[in-house]
Amino acid sequence: MGWSELGLIEQTGRPAGKHGVRNENVVGCSRQPRRAAQPPFDERRADDQARRRPVTWRARSTSGFRFPPSWRPGTVAAQVFLLQVIVILVLVAAAASAVVLQRRYDGENTAKARSLAVAEAFAQAPGTAVALQSPDPSALLKIPAEKAQLSSGVDYISVLNKRGVRLTDPEPQLVGTPAQEIGRAIAGKTFTETFHGSPTDSVRAVVPVVGAGRHVIGIVTAGIEFQTLGHLLDQQIPMVLDAAALAVVLATGGTFLVSRRLRRQTRGLGPTEMTRMYEHHDAVLHAVREGVLIVDAGGRLLLANDEARRLLDLPHDADQRHVTDLGLGPEMTRLLNSGAVASDAVFPAGDRLLAVNTRRTAPYGNAPGLVASFRDTTELRALSGRAELARERLTLLYEAGVRIGTTLDVRRTSQELAEVAVPQAADIVTVELLESVLRGEEPTGSTPRMRRTALYGADTHSPLQPVGDLIEFVVADTSMGAALRRGEAVLVPDLHRAQDWRSRDPQGAVRVLDHGVHSLITVPLRARGVLLGMVNFWRGAGSARFEEEDVAVTEELVARAAVAIDNARRYSREHAMAVTLQRSLLPRDLPDQDALEVAWRYLPAQSGVGGDWFDVIPLPGFRVALVVGDVVGHGLHAAVTMGRLRTAVLNFSSLDLPPDELLGHLDEMVMRLDSQTASADGEVSAVTGATCLYAIYDPVGGHCAISRAGHVVPAVVDPMGRVTFPDLPLAPPLGVGGHPFESGELSLPEGSRLVLFTDGLIEDRGRDIDEGLSMLAETVAPADRTPEETCQALMEVMLPEHPSDDVALLVARTRLLDPSRVAVWDVPLDVEAVSRVRGEVTRRLHDWGLEESCFATELVLSELLTNAIRYGAEPVRVRILLGRTLICEVSDGSSTSPHLRRAAITDEGGRGLFLVSQFADRWGTRYAPHGKVIWAELSLDGPPEPDPEALLDAMAW
């Protein structure tokens, strides 16, 4: 049995032909029926006997030595053995290298230790220091250094002076030369190192010699040269290499014995087992429902199973033919001929689509080649196409749910519907809505008039009517009219053949057709059973016609968009109602007054109206009340609550209460509102949490009293532009209860600016309140800005384009009443003083040029002053203020307030206040910390004409 015969048995498990050449039918036998593919019985028996014969070693001539058959270089056993030998050699080489390196490392450490011991011993010897301090240290140290070198086993001992110049050295020519890299020793440090330099590389120790004063007087170096270390290592390497060689021999022999044992055990398979393996292989190859081809490195076909012949329609004599001669098509032929690796590459084969996978045989066999498998994917591709179409439609509906209705704006939602549908569902989409829907009103039903709200297409030059045009469905027999009448989608697959849709606008229809639009689906836009509008889906050139399956998709898309549009419509209606309500509750204009120059801004939140409000309220005595408040939440409830609180503040301010008392009454009212707003199901729409700031500015002295309930502190800008946030008392928000309110007093020079605002101005998602206050201070700091300019700057700097919270801003610049227009008299508690004060007031009125007001003023002052003297308490004071009107004030220390009443004929009093009410425009009472003030306001145009009959009745007594 020759070398080729043994190799054939190794590869196939079967003997070669009788001529020692591999039978050509061995490869092709798997393509025949299984009975024809089985080897003859006598050949199988010979094969079994050949396998059971023991393997023997033959010694031929020197050049004819043969290994056992299984040890041929191409066999698995030989490759395994060679791999094991290589691994052993690598391991042994690594171990030997490690031993050598360890030896070298140990040698260097030993040399460092020996050099250090020798250097320290010589440096610390008593005579070394004495010699270094002598006049000729070289002569005294040369002999001791040589003796120490010979006795210690080091290669050199050198003694250096404190500057590093050699005094002694084994090499005489080095004496007097400076040593290298000894700076640390000169500094007094001992060290060892591996030195590379002149005169030779070595392992050395450098030790300073210290004198009596602990100063370095010299240096001793001792070392062993690398040549000495290498010589010691060279003596050990042969022993290491011998040990490594012995390990290689032992390991290789052991590997050989183990491999031989494994080879003998593998050869234990008999002919029955090998035949069974062949039969199973043949059965699987021919029964599997997947085509298999094996091609050699030259591109010739070695094997093709039955499924491959059927799928590829191979000729019966395809074996051993080149793949270019099989008629497989150019792309598949190129793949098989190139030997490239492919995974599920799809190629046409007749009326089939085949998925091809190719893998190289090189890692699994001796001969290079290619294995290709084929799978029929024609039906799978059709199913995949339908599944892909369904997936695209589901994706479209999912995107519609995500992208449609992102805002509560009817027009934006309509545009989102059109953008989602293009280009997945159509090339152009138009949306028409009823005008009532655009206004946020409730749609009244079907109507032939709609407004185009959205138009979107892949082509920017659309032939359809633009957005904003009025669309009229006056012709009932059109497809759009039919869709409105029936309430369901209408498909027009070919617009060229349909004539009904042209009747409404023949010229426009021609333009649409000339543009390439050829197919239409029109769908009514309905939500909750009410028609909102119409959606039209158009397809143009380059797109397939609409089919019945597309109708269901467009209806589902429109149904989802209809809910979003209706929600936006409802929100628009509620938002418009809330905005209208809020605007009706907020002040439309600021009242006329001389104490403050006021500017304001109000900006509702993007999400809807809220509860922020402000107010400017004139008070008696030319005083002005400034109010800023904030109700928690947004919507109608917040707007209504804001209106209630604003009305309450206006009513309480008519009582002329101090700021702390007014907030106390307001807090009590909020708690009553919270207790009365509980609904039947237990839910409460609470007002608790509302904040308010109430300030009263008096232009006579420039004083401002401020009280706040949970509100942010105002900013005060003095005439020089310095910004402060005064430390004012802070009480909890309204509705909490149980906490007193306090007022803070500010003195504001003329020209100061008081900036009142709600937290929406300074707080935002991107900044906290401290950062907002800092930005506000920088913005209002310029001293030359008017209140209007200050408001404009704050709006531009502090607020984003769409604020998330309401903003109320009030900026007031202070004015002072001219002292020459203020007159004050202290009146004793004596009735006779009334005439004297009346005369002084008359003279002051003449000085002011108010002669026409003297009579009414004297009458009013006489009545008020007489009441204060008769029924009040000290101190009594009269003050007259001249501004837009004339204010007459009488104060006393009593808290008893007079009341206007109708006096009987028999009553002696009760008519004075009636006379005051007849001659004064307004009058009233306000309480001070100590007493009260009764005031009357008279017009400068002259006193009002009193009712003669009422006046006579009052004077009848």
Side-chain angles (χ1 to χ4, degrees), residues 456-476:
Y456 188 76
D459 187 1
T460 56
H461 303 287
S462 175
L464 303 175
Q465 292 176 255
V467 174
D469 277 14
L470 188 65
I471 309 298
E472 296 182 353
F473 303 99
V474 295
V475 181

Side-chain angles (χ1 to χ4, degrees), residues 54-55 57 70 259-269:
V55 178
W57 292 82
S70 60
S259 300
R260 184 179 180 185
R261 179 63 178 170
L262 292 175
R263 176 182 56 81
R264 288 183 176 180
Q265 291 179 352
T266 304
R267 289 298 184 178
L269 287 176

Side-chain angles (χ1 to χ4, degrees), residues 773-929:
L773 290 175
S774 177
M775 292 178 59
L776 183 143
E778 294 178 0
T779 306
V780 301
D784 57 344
R785 283 182 175 171
T786 64
E788 182 65 27
E789 293 172 346
T790 304
C791 288
Q792 186 65 28
L794 288 173
M795 292 291 106
E796 294 176 354
V797 175
M798 302 293 295
L799 296 181
E801 183 178 357
H802 301 289
S804 58
D805 195 7
D806 296 350
V807 176
L809 174 63
L810 198 62
V811 179
R813 183 158 61 184
T814 60
R815 297 168 179 164
L816 292 180
L817 190 63
D818 190 348
S820 63
R821 293 174 174 264
V822 180
V824 181
W825 295 271
D826 290 325
V827 182
L829 203 64
D830 186 0
V831 177
E832 295 180 356
V834 174
S835 60
R836 178 179 58 81
V837 173
R838 186 170 58 240
E840 293 181 1
V841 170
T842 301
R843 285 191 294 272
R844 179 57 61 91
L845 293 179
H846 280 279
D847 294 340
W848 289 344
L850 301 177
E851 293 83 358
E852 296 180 358
S853 302
C854 289
F855 174 76
T857 304
E858 289 179 2
L859 179 61
V860 170
L861 179 63
S862 298
E863 294 298 335
L864 296 181
L865 187 56
T866 302
N867 274 341
I869 293 175
R870 286 184 176 180
Y871 307 109
E874 293 183 340
V876 179
R877 175 174 294 180
V878 174
R879 186 174 73 164
I880 298 179
L881 307 176
L882 177 59
R884 289 174 176 266
T885 58
L886 182 66
I887 304 296
C888 181
E889 296 180 349
V890 177
S891 63
D892 66 86
S894 173
S895 298
T896 303
S897 176
H899 298 282
L900 179 65
R901 63 185 179 88
R902 178 175 293 274
I905 297 178
T906 58
D907 292 340
E908 295 183 0
R911 296 172 177 83
L913 289 181
F914 178 77
L915 292 176
V916 171
S917 66
Q918 292 296 312
F919 284 93
D921 292 338
R922 293 189 306 158
W923 74 278
T925 304
R926 73 171 181 270
Y927 292 93

Side-chain angles (χ1 to χ4, degrees), residues 40 70 83 109 119 158 180 201 212 228 372 407-408 436 442 506 523 620 709 719 729 797 833 857-858 914:
S70 60
L83 177 61
N109 287 342
S158 298
Q180 300 177 4
D201 297 341
T228 305
T407 63
L408 291 174
S436 59
E442 193 72 25
V523 185
V797 175
T857 304
E858 289 179 2
F914 178 77

Side-chain angles (χ1 to χ4, degrees), residues 603-850:
L603 187 63
Q606 182 184 13
S607 59
V609 297
D612 291 13
W613 91 94
F614 66 92
D615 225 328
V616 178
I617 307 172
L619 298 177
F622 302 134
R623 295 170 303 135
V624 178
L626 301 176
V627 189
V628 175
D630 185 2
V631 176
V632 178
H634 296 87
L636 285 174
H637 172 70
V640 171
T641 303
M642 177 269 291
R644 291 171 127 183
L645 293 181
R646 179 171 179 260
T647 303
V649 171
L650 288 173
N651 291 334
F652 290 143
S653 64
S654 65
L655 301 177
D656 207 351
L657 299 174
D660 53 346
E661 293 185 19
L662 185 142
L663 290 185
H665 288 293
L666 192 63
D667 180 67
E668 183 180 356
M669 188 203 75
V670 169
M671 288 191 293
R672 287 201 305 268
L673 288 177
D674 285 344
S675 64
Q676 296 172 4
T677 53
S679 57
D681 56 358
E683 295 183 359
V684 177
S685 299
V687 187
T688 302
T691 65
C692 183
L693 184 146
Y694 189 83
I696 297 179
Y697 174 70
D698 188 352
V700 175
H703 300 292
C704 184
I706 301 177
S707 183
R708 57 193 183 119
H711 204 82
V712 290
V713 67
V716 178
V717 188
D718 66 8
M720 303 302 295
R722 292 185 293 266
V723 182
T724 58
F725 296 94
D727 185 12
L728 299 173
L730 177 63
L734 299 175
V736 176
H739 297 273
F741 292 89
E742 300 180 31
S743 294
E745 295 288 339
L746 298 177
S747 294
L748 303 178
E750 186 173 12
S752 300
R753 281 172 291 164
L754 189 62
V755 182
L756 310 180
F757 50 89
T758 56
D759 56 359
L761 181 67
I762 57 176
E763 285 186 314
D764 192 69
R765 296 175 182 175
R767 64 171 182 259
D768 56 13
I769 187 171
D770 293 333
E771 184 180 357
L773 290 175
S774 177
M775 292 178 59
L776 183 143
E778 294 178 0
T779 306
V780 301
D784 57 344
R785 283 182 175 171
T786 64
E788 182 65 27
E789 293 172 346
T790 304
C791 288
Q792 186 65 28
L794 288 173
M795 292 291 106
E796 294 176 354
V797 175
M798 302 293 295
L799 296 181
E801 183 178 357
H802 301 289
S804 58
D805 195 7
D806 296 350
V807 176
L809 174 63
L810 198 62
V811 179
R813 183 158 61 184
T814 60
R815 297 168 179 164
L816 292 180
L817 190 63
D818 190 348
S820 63
R821 293 174 174 264
V822 180
V824 181
W825 295 271
D826 290 325
V827 182
L829 203 64
D830 186 0
V831 177
E832 295 180 356
V834 174
S835 60
R836 178 179 58 81
V837 173
R838 186 170 58 240
E840 293 181 1
V841 170
T842 301
R843 285 191 294 272
R844 179 57 61 91
L845 293 179
H846 280 279
D847 294 340
W848 289 344
L850 301 177

Side-chain angles (χ1 to χ4, degrees), residues 182-200:
I182 58 170
R184 289 178 290 174
I186 295 174
K189 295 183 180 180
T190 300
F191 64 94
T192 61
E193 65 178 359
T194 301
F195 174 76
H196 298 279
S198 177
T200 182

